[in-house]
């Protein structure tokens, strides 16, 4: 036999068991940046290979991929190969490309902070360490990419690199670390300490956590409605301007490779166009060059726009019409949605039961006052305005100089219009919905106690179960009391009957067995060898008594003056064990003496009956008490020899 080698070398074992720290975060950030760069590089190289007339070699394609990766972070690029020779800026960020680095950074930071599932695994990485490692690793690769494309025809602006790249990396990594720790509210509330005390109390009040959470959820719902409504407006405009969009798509290029590239660019810019359409529905609209605004009241598109399918969906020039005014329904729906979310947070109705009926929750918070509800709505409008202003700033930018220096919506105008629309349309809706939910809550609160579930009543099933348990207990008590009465004394029989009656009546006064537990208790899979009822208990005591009693000499006459076989004449049983089936001090119904001349036999236990007529004494001169139990005074008198008999004499 040979000794088995360990599966891992000592060095690898130490590397596996060591506590992860800053190195793991650095590696995760670098891998996230490399995946983003690699994805764009593969796409650009595939288009370059399939192009019939490439303008440059593979180095140029890789430079374009690095520049597009930086543009996805909001970095403004500079194009140097122009007809005039003057560099022109390119600052429109495709929002679909921005989603790729944000998602990769979020995943890297979350994986670097997650707690290991093994109990004996390494300890979790601190949040600050993981965040610092991921950000530094990502910025290292990003700086190298900016250096790589700095000498190409499409280079990055270093001022934008130093601002946009760290902001995107820090924000996405912070969201990943926050999600890895279960999205706690404490870090967010800690950020509110930078606000003045009066402003913080005015906006959030004393319960900042619930109010801020409700405001953020409502603002997220409102932003989703605005973005989705903008996408619907974009799709409708593309359908109305279908021939123009198709002509512009075919006019740009003739090869399938070029058309595929135009299609990919259009797909990447669809989120931008949806934000532009949302700003159009809000009122401020968007700009198609310096001095050319497009809004619902009037449209003045620039005459020298490049042919592009998304630009073909711009409304026609001229004053607005009823069709363009109808786009105002999008912010109205957004305001109603925000108001509905705020009203739900203000008044909790409760949970639904298995039958689908809603009942008030036992620990539901108190409803918010009307002033607080309106304040949370205003706060939601401000948060939603911040979201849309950020999207508007990212979706627009310059495409050149002079007339092409301004494309897209103005961020502060879009944000201000969002706040006004949601506040104006949401205030009456949130107060109305709040009152309606308060009325429903009162109706449910009054209806639930009347269903028979109050204290001491129970449901129908509970009452039926309790009645069946009481009947079963009463039946067993009725069957047990006669048996006990036939063997016990009147005092013990009465006590046992009272206990049985108490146990039988107990289930009928309280809730049933199915109301005390969430499930019906299962039967014992290992039952005992005997049942604990009165009959089994009596049989066991009889067997024990027979085994412990001394054997009697059958047929031998007892001596005169000796104690009877039932035990000492003091009212106690033969074995002195309480609770036996003997009835001390009772005499049965007397029968006439048999041929042996003995006295009557006590055949039944129970209350003392009249003594039977004593027959002539037998040879033994005494009578036997055959009743189970002790010998009482009546039995003693029956056991004495008859002095008037022929063989009896005076003592």
């Amino acid at each position: 036999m040979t000794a088995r080698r360990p599966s891992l070398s000592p060095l690898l074992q130490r590397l596996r068991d060591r506590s992860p720290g800053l190195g793991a975060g650095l590696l995760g950030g670098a891998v996230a940046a490399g995946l983003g760069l690699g994805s764009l590089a593969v796409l650009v190289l595939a288009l370059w290979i399939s192009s019939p007339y490439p303008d440059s070699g593979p180095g140029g394609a890789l430079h374009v991929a690095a520049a597009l990766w930086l543009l996805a972070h909001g970095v403004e690029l500079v194009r140097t190969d122009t007809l005039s020779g003057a560099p022109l800026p390119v600052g429109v960020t495709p929002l679909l490309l921005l989603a790729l680095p944000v998602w990769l950074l979020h995943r890297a930071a979350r994986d670097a902070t997650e707690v290991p599932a093994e109990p004996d695994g390494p300890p979790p990485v601190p949040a600050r360490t993981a965040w610092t490692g991921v950000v530094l690793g990502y910025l290292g690769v990003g700086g190298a990419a900016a250096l790589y494309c700095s000498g190409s025809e499409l280079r990055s602006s270093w001022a934008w690199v130093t601002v946009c790249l760290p902001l995107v990396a820090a924000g996405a990594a912070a969201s990943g670390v926050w999600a890895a720790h279960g999205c706690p509210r404490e870090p967010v509330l800690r950020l509110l300490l930078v606000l003045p005390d009066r402003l913080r109390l005015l906006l959030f009040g004393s319960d900042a956590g619930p109010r801020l959470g409700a405001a953020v959820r409502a603002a997220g719902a409102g932003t989703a409605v605005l973005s989705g409504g903008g996408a619907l407006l974009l799709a409708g405009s593309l359908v109305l301007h279908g021939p123009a969009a198709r002509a512009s798509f075919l006019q740009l290029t003739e090869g399938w490779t070029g058309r595929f590239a135009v299609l990919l660019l259009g797909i990447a810019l669809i989120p931008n166009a949806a934000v532009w359409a949302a700003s159009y529905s809000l009122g401020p609209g968007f700009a198609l060059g310096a001095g050319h605004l497009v809004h619902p009241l009037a449209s003045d598109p620039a005459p020298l726009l490049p042919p592009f399918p998304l630009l073909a969906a711009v409304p026609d020039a001229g004053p607005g019409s009823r069709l363009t005014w109808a786009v105002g329904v999008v912010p109205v729906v957004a305001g109603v949605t925000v108001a509905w979310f705020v009203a739900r947070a203000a008044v909790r109705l409760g949970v639904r039961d298995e039958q689908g009926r809603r009942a008030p929750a036992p620990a539901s918070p108190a409803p918010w006052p009307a002033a607080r509800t309106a304040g949370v709505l205003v706060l939601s409008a401000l948060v939603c305005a911040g979201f849309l202003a950020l999207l508007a700033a990212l979706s627009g930018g310059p495409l050149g100089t002079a007339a092409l220096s301004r494309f897209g919506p103005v961020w502060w105008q879009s944000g201000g219009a969002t706040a006004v629309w949601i506040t104006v349309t949401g205030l009456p809706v949130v107060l109305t919905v709040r009152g309606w939910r308060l009325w429903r809550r009162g109706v449910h609160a009054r209806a639930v106690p009347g269903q028979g579930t109050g204290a001491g009543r129970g449901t129908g099933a509970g009452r039926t179960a309790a009645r069946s348990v009481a009947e079963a207990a009463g039946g067993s008590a009725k069957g047990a009391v006669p048996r006990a009465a036939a063997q016990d004394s009147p005092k013990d029989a009465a006590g046992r009957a009272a206990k049985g009656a108490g146990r039988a009546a107990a289930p009928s006064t309280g809730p049933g067995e199915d109301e005390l537990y969430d499930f019906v208790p299962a039967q014992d899979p290992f039952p005992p060898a005997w049942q604990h009822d009165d009959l089994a208990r009596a049989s066991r005591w009889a067997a024990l008594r027979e085994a412990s009693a001394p054997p009697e000499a059958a047929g031998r006459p007892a001596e005169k003056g000796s104690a009877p076989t039932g035990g000492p004449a003091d009212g106690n049983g033969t074995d002195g064990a309480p609770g036996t089936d003997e009835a001390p001090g009772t005499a049965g119904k007397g029968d006439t003496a048999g041929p042996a001349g003995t006295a009557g036999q006590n055949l039944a236990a129970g209350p003392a009956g009249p003594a039977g007529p004593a027959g002539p004494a037998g040879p033994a001169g005494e009578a036997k008490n055959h009743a189970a139990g002790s010998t009482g005074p009546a039995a003693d008198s029956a056991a004495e020899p008859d002095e008037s008999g022929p063989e009896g004499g005076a003592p």
Side-chain angles (χ1 to χ4, degrees):
M1 298 296 291
T2 59
R4 177 181 293 181
R5 295 181 58 188
S7 58
L8 294 175
S9 63
L11 178 60
L12 294 179
Q13 186 75 19
R14 288 195 300 269
L15 289 176
R16 188 191 68 174
D17 296 339
R18 71 180 179 87
S19 175
L22 188 62
L26 288 170
L27 181 61
V31 169
L35 288 176
L37 271 172
S39 302
L40 291 178
V42 168
L43 180 61
V44 173
L45 285 175
L47 293 176
W48 174 78
I49 292 172
S50 60
S51 177
Y53 305 104
D55 295 337
S56 60
L62 292 177
H63 281 89
V64 171
L68 287 178
W69 183 76
L70 292 173
L71 181 64
H73 294 79
V75 176
E76 188 175 293
L77 303 178
V78 178
R79 187 166 60 92
T80 58
D81 58 337
T82 60
L83 297 177
S84 61
L88 298 178
V90 178
V92 178
T93 302
L95 294 182
L96 195 60
L97 291 182
L98 176 61
L100 177 63
V102 169
W103 179 71
L104 290 174
L105 275 167
H106 178 86
R107 287 290 304 271
R110 190 184 65 182
D111 295 342
T113 320
E114 280 184 345
V115 179
E118 297 81 6
D120 55 348
V125 182
R128 293 182 179 179
T129 304
W131 178 84
T132 304
V134 171
V135 171
L136 290 180
Y138 196 88
L139 291 181
V141 178
L147 284 174
Y148 177 75
C149 67
S150 59
S152 63
E153 297 177 352
L154 193 62
R155 65 190 62 178
S156 60
S157 173
W158 282 102
W160 288 91
V161 168
T162 56
V163 173
C164 295
L165 198 61
L167 283 178
V168 173
S175 67
V177 172
W178 186 56
H181 285 272
C183 301
R185 294 181 179 180
E186 288 77 12
V188 181
L189 297 178
R190 205 175 295 124
L191 294 176
L192 300 178
L193 297 178
V194 300
L195 299 176
D197 295 340
R198 294 184 179 180
L199 181 60
R200 187 171 65 252
L201 292 177
L202 178 63
L203 293 178
F204 302 101
S206 57
D207 51 346
R211 296 177 68 179
L212 184 60
V216 171
R217 286 190 296 269
T223 305
V225 170
L226 286 174
S227 303
L232 291 178
L233 293 179
L234 174 64
S237 183
L238 284 175
V239 170
L240 292 177
H241 300 85
R246 182 176 179 274
S248 63
F249 179 75
L250 298 176
Q251 184 181 355
L252 283 175
T253 181
E254 295 181 357
W256 67 270
T257 305
R259 290 177 181 176
F260 184 69
V262 172
L263 179 62
L264 290 180
L265 181 59
I267 292 175
L269 289 174
I270 282 179
N272 298 60
V275 175
W276 291 19
S279 180
Y280 178 82
S281 65
L282 289 169
F286 52 90
L288 289 177
H292 300 278
L293 295 177
V294 179
H295 50 83
L297 299 180
S299 179
D300 187 18
L304 299 177
L305 289 177
F308 196 73
L310 294 179
L311 293 178
V314 175
D316 299 332
S321 60
R322 295 180 179 178
L323 185 61
T324 59
W325 299 342
V327 299
V329 70
V330 174
V332 171
V333 174
V336 171
T337 303
V338 172
W340 176 263
F341 273 80
V342 173
R344 286 187 60 185
V347 181
R348 302 273 185 184
L349 289 183
V351 295
R352 294 184 181 273
D353 54 7
E354 297 179 355
Q355 289 78 16
R357 295 173 298 185
R358 189 182 295 274
S364 58
W368 294 349
R372 177 177 297 182
T373 306
V376 174
L377 177 71
V378 174
L379 180 62
S380 304
L382 294 177
V383 176
C384 185
F387 288 162
L388 201 71
L390 179 62
L391 292 176
L394 292 175
S395 64
L399 289 178
T401 57
L404 300 179
S405 62
R406 182 180 174 187
F407 272 82
V410 182
W411 65 270
W412 62 268
Q413 293 180 359
S414 300
T418 301
V420 172
W421 271 100
I422 293 180
T423 303
V424 172
T425 60
L427 274 177
V429 175
V430 73
L431 295 178
T432 303
V433 175
R434 174 185 172 274
W436 174 65
R437 291 176 69 87
L438 283 175
W439 174 78
R440 286 189 60 189
R441 184 172 180 173
V443 168
H444 289 306
R446 290 190 299 268
V448 169
Q451 296 176 359
T453 59
R457 295 190 62 182
T459 58
R463 290 194 298 270
T464 304
R467 190 180 300 111
S468 61
V469 171
E471 291 176 357
S476 62
K478 291 177 182 178
V481 169
R483 290 193 297 269
Q487 300 170 357
D488 294 352
S489 64
K491 182 178 180 180
D492 293 345
R496 181 171 295 180
K499 292 181 180 179
R503 288 194 299 266
S508 62
T509 58
E513 191 77 15
D514 54 349
E515 293 180 346
L516 297 177
Y517 304 94
D518 295 335
F519 54 89
V520 179
Q523 296 182 356
D524 189 3
F526 304 101
W530 59 80
Q531 299 295 330
H532 298 280
D533 55 358
D534 296 337
L535 181 60
R537 188 180 298 107
S539 302
R540 290 196 299 273
W541 277 112
L544 291 174
R545 184 170 54 255
E546 292 176 2
S548 61
E552 294 180 345
R556 188 181 64 183
E559 298 178 358
K560 182 179 179 181
S562 62
T565 60
D570 55 355
N572 297 329
T574 57
D575 51 0
T580 62
D581 295 336
E582 300 170 355
T586 58
K589 182 178 181 181
D591 293 334
T592 58
T598 60
Q601 297 177 350
N602 296 328
L603 299 179
E622 63 181 0
K624 292 183 180 180
N625 185 13
H626 292 278
S630 304
T631 306
D636 294 336
S637 62
E640 292 292 334
D642 191 357
E643 298 179 356
S644 61
E647 298 179 2

